[in-house]
Amino acid sequence: PLGRTTIFNLIISGNPMTVACNGNPPIALLGENVTWSAVPSGGRGPYTYLWSLDVPSPAPTTSSFVTSYSTIGIKFAQVNVTDADGQLSSCTPSVATVRVNFDPSFEEF
């Protein structure tokens, strides 16, 4: 019926989350340490991390880790980050790459 009013409060909560990741150095030599890092922004901590692809086994569950490679080529990493509210964000392997090269000063006898 006419003359009635409905009043309500709209509460928008949450904070969209993204994650940036990288491998450092971007070009490494065989056996050289590579540090993979993930930096979430937004969301609500604490965060949980799960790395996959060219990473050690078992997969690291920290925001960063160090590894080295015994084969040459492009190495990929992907990380899934989940915040305290269950919001998920990923860093794709096309973004997180490291090229591992042969050390030209290495001599085999």
Side-chain angles (χ1 to χ4, degrees):
L2 299 174
R4 292 190 180 191
T5 304
T6 301
I7 298 174
F8 63 91
N9 292 325
L10 175 62
I11 299 172
I12 299 174
S13 62
N15 186 2
M17 182 176 65
T18 59
V19 62
C21 59
N22 68 7
N24 193 31
I27 299 175
L29 299 178
L30 285 174
E32 183 178 7
N33 282 344
V34 173
T35 302
W36 292 98
S37 301
V39 179
S41 63
R44 186 172 68 88
Y47 302 99
T48 59
Y49 302 86
L50 183 59
W51 291 87
S52 60
L53 300 177
D54 295 324
V55 299
S57 181
T61 57
T62 54
S63 63
S64 65
F65 68 94
V66 177
T67 191
S68 62
Y69 296 97
S70 59
T71 59
I72 62 171
I74 296 178
K75 307 303 177 185
F76 300 92
Q78 177 173 327
V79 63
N80 291 328
V81 180
T82 306
D83 77 351
D85 295 323
Q87 191 174 186
L88 175 69
S89 186
S90 298
C91 186
T92 63
S94 62
V95 174
T97 62
V98 169
R99 178 183 299 277
V100 177
N101 292 332
F102 184 73
D103 184 350
S105 65
F106 176 76
E107 293 183 30
E108 188 175 338
F109 294 96

